[in-house]
Amino acid sequence: MKYLLLAVAVLGLIYVVFIDSKKTPNNDERPETIYQREVDKAEAIEGFLQDSVDKRLEEMDELN
């Protein structure tokens, strides 16, 4: 039992030192970054749709 606890402690230490330290705090998968990326996409789509509607209205005005 003592060796099992020692092994778990060593493996936990290895995980913290080597594996967890590879993660950068400025990772692109932070919620703020994901949210801002999605907001930018939505604004771009909104702008595209507004341009499409404006062109369509201009075409309809020219026909009348």
Side-chain angles (χ1 to χ4, degrees):
M1 186 69 170
K2 181 170 57 171
Y3 296 112
L4 181 61
L5 290 175
L6 184 61
V8 169
V10 169
L11 290 175
L13 182 64
I14 290 171
Y15 174 78
V16 168
V17 170
F18 293 109
I19 297 172
D20 201 36
S21 66
K22 290 182 182 179
K23 297 179 183 175
T24 59
N26 294 328
N27 193 357
D28 285 344
E29 297 306 316
R30 291 180 22 209
E32 301 88 12
T33 306
I34 294 170
Y35 175 77
Q36 188 60 46
R37 188 181 326 137
E38 295 301 318
V39 168
D40 293 342
K41 285 180 189 177
E43 289 174 351
I45 291 171
E46 182 183 8
F48 171 74
L49 291 175
Q50 188 62 48
D51 289 344
S52 298
V53 168
D54 291 343
K55 285 181 184 179
R56 184 69 177 163
L57 287 175
E58 288 175 7
E59 291 173 359
M60 290 176 64
D61 287 342
E62 289 175 0
L63 293 174
N64 290 328

